[in-house]
Amino acid sequence: MSDSNTRTRTRASEQTEEQSEGLACPECGGAVIADDEHGETVCQSCGLVVEEDSVDRGPEWRAFDSKEKDEKSRVGAPTTNMMHDKGLSTNIDWRDKDAYGNALGAKQRKKMQRLRKWNERFRTRDSKERNLKQALGEIDRMASALGLPENVRETASVIYRRALDEDLLPGRSIEGVSTASVYAAARQAGVPRSLDEITDVSRVEKSEIARTYRYVVRELGLEVQPADPESYVPRFASSLDLSEESERRARQLLQNAKEKGVHSGKSPVGLAAAAVYAAALLTNEKTTQAAVSEVADISEVTIRNRYHELLEAEQDLPVA
């Protein structure tokens, strides 16, 4: 049973219960209860049927497992900002088969091909909708390549829609604004990706991404906190197959660096990579600067420099 049908049944049941609470048995004055299974309202004390044939507002079918519920449910997917029409239009399946899985004849195949073509034209009737369709496709592609969750894709889609509504696109490429939206959404959700990682999956240059990102954030008034080096640690540690102890030690090194002010003006990705490398050595786990460099997409020289700064900050801290 779908969530919508479940909610409908629950509301109907609550309404029936509320109505029955206000009733009293005309025979003995006892309390009455609603029997949803039989559609009756019955006295608890004497068993008198006070009302019968009540309306069942739930679905007319029954299901006994989740697969059967999904098959029988006729409720469509929820609306989403990740589609240019918010998922409210009709999709014609690309497979040339009927409802029973049988292949269509040549005449029917030609007919379906024409219908698909016209359906696609009606779905994107003007330039704004075509722009949105292309941009949301780009956002979905980049988010998939970066392994970002669905909530980040939804947020990026909303940011792009706002930029389009506020006329921020003239003079800027669709790909550039799409990439900036993904970058901003990932940082807002606390799962940031470095500018280099974003550039690797984007179709535009790093300088254009940075410039467009600053423009979009400023014009839309987005609240984006500076990237926290600690937010990169779980991903780096997971990619290097390090233990929870190493991850915890890396976080501790970064917290110590913040207390000493070492992090100021430094790349959060570089600090996180160096912390992960240092933590692995301190917990006797084998990893190399080259491996960390490949995972974090940052040079070994940067890792070495930040590594020494983190250890110095650790040694300079007063013992409690």
Side-chain angles (χ1 to χ4, degrees):
M1 191 184 299
S2 68
D3 291 342
S4 177
N5 286 330
T6 305
R7 286 195 295 270
T8 304
R9 182 184 284 276
T10 305
R11 281 198 297 269
S13 176
E14 286 172 357
Q15 288 170 1
T16 307
E17 285 174 10
E18 286 172 7
Q19 289 169 358
S20 62
E21 280 174 8
L23 293 174
C25 176
E27 290 289 329
C28 66
V32 296
I33 56 167
D35 183 357
D36 290 329
E37 188 176 348
H38 299 97
E40 297 173 343
T41 304
V42 186
C43 175
Q44 277 185 307
S45 302
C46 66
L48 177 71
V49 177
V50 180
E51 287 183 1
E52 59 183 346
D53 297 330
S54 59
V55 177
D56 181 5
R57 301 184 186 277
E60 81 285 2
W61 45 263
R62 292 191 301 170
F64 302 98
D65 56 44
S66 57
K67 185 181 178 182
E68 196 176 355
K69 286 176 185 176
D70 292 338
E71 288 174 353
K72 289 186 175 182
S73 175
R74 294 187 293 274
V75 179
T79 56
T80 172
N81 283 300
M82 294 187 288
M83 296 179 72
H84 73 282
D85 53 13
K86 298 194 175 181
L88 295 173
S89 64
T90 302
N91 283 322
I92 300 177
D93 196 5
W94 58 270
R95 291 168 293 192
D96 289 320
K97 292 183 178 181
D98 62 16
Y100 300 101
N102 301 320
L104 299 177
K107 190 175 180 181
Q108 284 289 348
R109 281 202 303 273
K110 286 182 181 178
K111 181 181 178 182
M112 293 309 297
Q113 196 172 350
R114 285 197 304 274
L115 285 171
R116 283 192 202 99
K117 186 189 293 182
W118 281 105
N119 182 56
E120 200 63 30
R121 287 175 180 174
F122 280 119
R123 286 181 69 190
T124 51
R125 284 172 292 182
D126 54 34
S127 59
K128 185 177 178 180
E129 286 191 1
R130 285 194 293 273
N131 177 317
L132 199 53
K133 185 180 179 182
Q134 182 184 340
L136 297 181
E138 273 293 289
I139 287 171
D140 189 55
R141 181 188 66 78
M142 289 186 286
S144 296
L146 292 165
L148 293 171
E150 192 170 316
N151 67 308
V152 175
R153 302 178 196 204
E154 191 86 25
T155 304
S157 302
V158 171
I159 291 172
Y160 189 89
R161 284 175 185 274
R162 285 187 59 196
L164 188 61
D165 290 340
E166 297 190 23
D167 208 26
L168 302 185
L169 265 75
R172 290 168 182 80
S173 67
I174 293 172
E175 290 83 0
V177 180
S178 301
T179 308
S181 300
V182 171
Y183 186 45
R187 291 184 65 170
Q188 281 187 327
V191 285
R193 297 294 185 265
S194 68
L195 203 52
D196 289 324
E197 288 177 294
I198 294 283
T199 305
D200 288 342
V201 301
S202 178
R203 302 185 199 273
V204 292
E205 297 296 323
K206 183 178 179 178
S207 57
E208 185 182 340
I209 296 170
R211 186 170 59 251
T212 307
Y213 167 74
R214 288 193 296 270
Y215 175 72
V216 168
V217 168
R218 183 178 66 251
E219 293 299 316
L220 295 182
L222 300 177
E223 294 183 5
V224 182
Q225 297 297 325
D228 186 349
E230 286 186 51
S231 60
Y232 292 94
V233 169
R235 186 157 53 91
F236 293 168
S238 175
S239 299
L240 293 163
D241 292 327
L242 299 179
S243 66
E244 287 186 18
E245 184 186 357
S246 288
E247 188 178 326
R248 191 163 53 249
R249 192 73 178 86
R251 289 179 184 277
Q252 189 180 347
L253 286 167
L254 290 171
Q255 287 164 5
N256 293 342
K258 286 178 190 174
E259 289 178 24
K260 295 291 291 182
V262 173
H263 70 298
S264 181
K266 307 288 194 313
S267 163
V269 181
L271 280 171
V276 167
Y277 174 65
L281 297 183
L282 291 171
T283 54
N284 297 318
E285 294 189 40
K286 290 183 180 179
T287 192
T288 63
Q289 289 180 10
V292 177
S293 171
E294 186 177 348
V295 165
D297 195 19
I298 203 160
S299 72
E300 292 181 39
V301 176
T302 302
I303 293 172
R304 279 196 293 275
N305 292 340
R306 300 293 92 82
Y307 166 75
H308 292 303
E309 290 169 3
L310 288 173
L311 291 185
E312 285 172 13
E314 178 92 350
Q315 290 165 2
D316 290 346
L317 278 173
V319 179

